[in-house]
Amino acid sequence: MNILENASLLTFNTFRVHVKTRYLIEVSDVNDIRNFIGSELHAIRPKMVLGGGSNVLFTHDYDGCILRLSIKGIENISENDESVLLRAAAGENWDDFVAYCVKNGWGGIENLSYIPGTVGASPVQNIGAYGMEVRDSIEMVETIDLESGSTRKFSNKQCEFAYRNSIFRSDLQNRVIITHVTFRLKKNHCFNTSYHELKKELSLHPETTLGNIRSAVITIRKRKLPDVEILANAGSFFKNPVVDQTLLDSLKLRYPEIPFFLDSGGNIKLSAAWLIEHCTWKGRRVRNVGTYRKHPLVIVNYGGADGSEILSFAQKIQQSVLNHFGIGLETEVNII
Ligand code: EPU
C-alpha cells in the first residue's frame, strides 16, 4: 500500500484539473485493501475509489481518502468450445484487456475498443458504444465492502445494469471496491455491426472479423472524439435523454428531423449531441472551456480550467437545452 498525503490529482483525472486530495492510497492487491480497512486511515471520511479518472470532474480539493486500484492480472478460469470465462483484476487497463481478447479470438467487447479507463470501472457505468454494452459480457463482479471489509460476489442480475448505470453507481456508490470482474466471451461470436457508422467504416475492410471491428471502432473514435493526451476531456459529458412518446410526438411536430432511437429496453432516447448542437453550443468556447468542435457532447478543458469553471459551462448547456426543448440533461460524468 502506497500512501501519499496532500497529493495532486492532476495526472489522475483526464479533465486535467489541478486539485489535491488529503490522502491518495494506492492498493495493488486485495491484502492492501484489508490493510487499509484495518488502519487508522479507514476512519477518514469521505472516501472514494478512482479508476482511470476518465469519467470524473473534481470541482474542489478532496478532503478525504481516495483509493486507486492497481490490482493486475487476467486469469483464464474455464473454457469450452463455445466460450471462455476470464477473471480480470480491476486495475487492468480496459483497452489492453479488449486488445488481449480480440487477439485471442474471443468476442463480446470488441465494439468497446479504445474506451479510456480500467476494467474495474467498466461495470460501474456499464460502458457502452456502437450498439454494445459491457453488461452483455459480464458474468460476475467481485467486491470488498469499504466499511466492513467483507467480500461479495454480484451475479450479472444483481449488478442491476441499466444505461450508463449499475448498483455500483447508485446504492453502492463509494461503499464497495470492485476488485475483479469475470467476463464470458464467445469463440463463435455473432458480430454486432448494426450501428450505422460502424457498418460504414467496416465496409472499407475486406471482411468482418473481431480485429477489423476493433480497427474500425478505433478509427471512428479517433476521428470523432478528442485524444485526452492532447485535449483534456472525459468523453460524453451528458447522457442521451430518455423521453416518452408524447414528448417525442410534440418535438417531432417542431423538429421533424429530430434523431431518436429505441434502446434494448424499448426506451425512446434522443441524441444529447443533437439537442446541444441545436442550441448552438457545438464548438463554442468560454475562456478555457468549450464543447469539442466535432462532437458537442464532449466538453474539453483547453488548459488551466478548474472544475467549477467546467461545471458552470456544463450548467449553461443544461439550462439552454431545458429552455429550448424542456428536457433536463443528466450528467454522465461523476461530479465530485
Ligand atoms: N450528433 C449531432 N451532432 C454531432 C454529433 C452527433 O447532432 O456533432 C447526433 C447525430 O444525430 C448522431 C447522434 O448524435 O447520429 C449520435 O452520435 P454518436 O454516434 O457520436 O453517439 P452519441 O449518442 O453522441 C453515444 C455514447 C458514446 C459512444 C457513442 C457511440 C452516451 C452518453 N454516449 O454517443 O460514449 O461512443 O454513442 O456508440 O451514450 C462516452 O460514454 O463517453 C462515449 C463517448
Side-chain angles (χ1 to χ4, degrees):
M1 177 164 67
N2 186 27
I3 304 167
L4 292 172
E5 216 177 318
N6 201 21
S8 167
L9 292 173
L10 183 65
T11 55
F12 299 119
N13 76 95
T14 60
F15 258 126
R16 299 288 176 250
V17 163
H18 282 267
V19 280
K20 285 184 170 177
T21 174
R22 191 165 158 206
Y23 288 103
L24 181 65
I25 298 160
E26 183 144 349
V27 289
S28 50
D29 58 33
V30 170
N31 273 339
D32 270 357
I33 301 175
R34 296 208 189 291
N35 290 339
F36 166 72
I37 291 170
S39 74
E40 285 173 3
L41 288 172
H42 184 241
I44 292 171
R45 285 181 175 74
K47 290 193 255 301
M48 68 174 277
V49 182
L50 194 60
S54 55
N55 200 45
V56 65
L57 174 64
F58 288 100
T59 55
H60 51 76
D61 286 343
Y62 192 78
D63 190 24
C65 278
I66 294 189
L67 280 108
R68 248 185 75 81
L69 262 73
S70 53
I71 308 178
K72 293 278 159 58
I74 301 171
E75 244 180 287
N76 187 331
I77 297 181
S78 66
E79 197 168 343
N80 58 29
D81 290 346
E82 276 133 43
S83 66
V84 55
L85 212 52
L86 291 180
R87 179 175 181 259
E92 287 287 340
N93 174 276
W94 172 257
D95 193 50
D96 291 348
F97 178 65
V98 177
Y100 171 78
C101 296
V102 167
K103 194 166 152 236
N104 282 287
W106 302 326
I109 53 174
E110 59 285 352
N111 295 28
L112 309 180
S113 290
Y114 215 58
I115 294 180
T118 58
V119 163
S122 67
V124 177
Q125 54 153 343
N126 178 27
I127 56 171
Y130 309 106
M132 196 175 260
E133 285 184 327
V134 76
R135 69 166 153 195
D136 296 324
S137 297
I138 289 181
E139 187 87 358
M140 185 177 74
V141 175
E142 291 169 61
T143 67
I144 296 186
D145 188 291
L146 254 174
E147 289 309 315
S148 66
S150 60
T151 54
R152 183 172 165 191
K153 291 179 178 175
F154 289 78
S155 66
N156 180 296
K157 191 160 180 269
Q158 288 169 330
C159 293
E160 297 178 13
F161 289 123
Y163 168 58
R164 292 298 193 274
N165 210 355
S166 73
I167 193 166
F168 310 110
R169 206 183 167 176
S170 52
D171 297 359
L172 297 182
Q173 189 171 42
N174 292 326
R175 287 179 51 196
V176 297
I177 302 179
I178 293 173
T179 59
H180 296 87
V181 183
T182 299
F183 297 85
R184 183 176 294 283
L185 299 166
K186 304 212 179 69
K187 291 188 176 171
N188 299 307
H189 172 59
C190 279
F191 302 126
N192 180 345
T193 57
S194 52
Y195 205 86
H196 175 70
E197 221 180 337
L198 178 57
K199 205 185 278 173
K200 211 167 127 199
E201 189 62 38
L202 263 172
S203 67
L204 305 174
H205 290 264
E207 53 175 342
T208 303
T209 61
L210 288 178
N212 286 344
I213 293 177
R214 176 168 164 77
S215 305
V217 167
I218 292 175
T219 305
I220 299 170
R221 290 189 78 96
K222 281 189 173 167
R223 190 164 59 213
K224 285 184 78 167
L225 301 170
D227 179 346
V228 288
E229 296 308 328
I230 299 165
L231 210 47
N233 74 89
S236 302
F237 197 92
F238 302 104
K239 294 184 194 179
N240 284 328
V242 172
V243 297
D244 61 23
Q245 188 67 48
T246 317
L247 180 54
L248 177 64
D249 290 343
S250 72
L251 286 167
K252 270 161 77 180
L253 289 176
R254 279 159 64 202
Y255 310 98
E257 75 289 10
I258 192 166
F260 67 94
F261 49 99
L262 292 180
D263 71 8
S264 50
N267 300 306
I268 304 167
K269 269 200 209 138
L270 300 179
S271 152
W274 187 91
L275 299 173
I276 296 168
E277 182 168 351
H278 230 79
C279 292
T280 71
W281 281 97
K282 186 170 178 174
R284 236 155 106 178
R285 177 175 174 169
V286 179
R287 290 187 300 278
N288 300 318
V289 187
T291 52
Y292 188 49
R293 65 187 166 83
K294 295 187 199 164
H295 207 307
L297 197 47
V298 181
I299 294 182
V300 299
N301 174 4
Y302 285 101
D306 64 19
S308 42
E309 191 178 338
I310 296 171
L311 183 61
S312 110
F313 182 85
Q315 285 166 341
K316 287 193 184 92
I317 294 178
Q318 280 171 315
Q319 194 57 55
S320 212
V321 170
L322 187 65
N323 293 346
H324 209 87
F325 295 101
I327 292 169
L329 288 182
E330 275 178 44
T331 60
E332 212 240 271
V333 167
N334 286 322
I335 316 288
I336 308 291

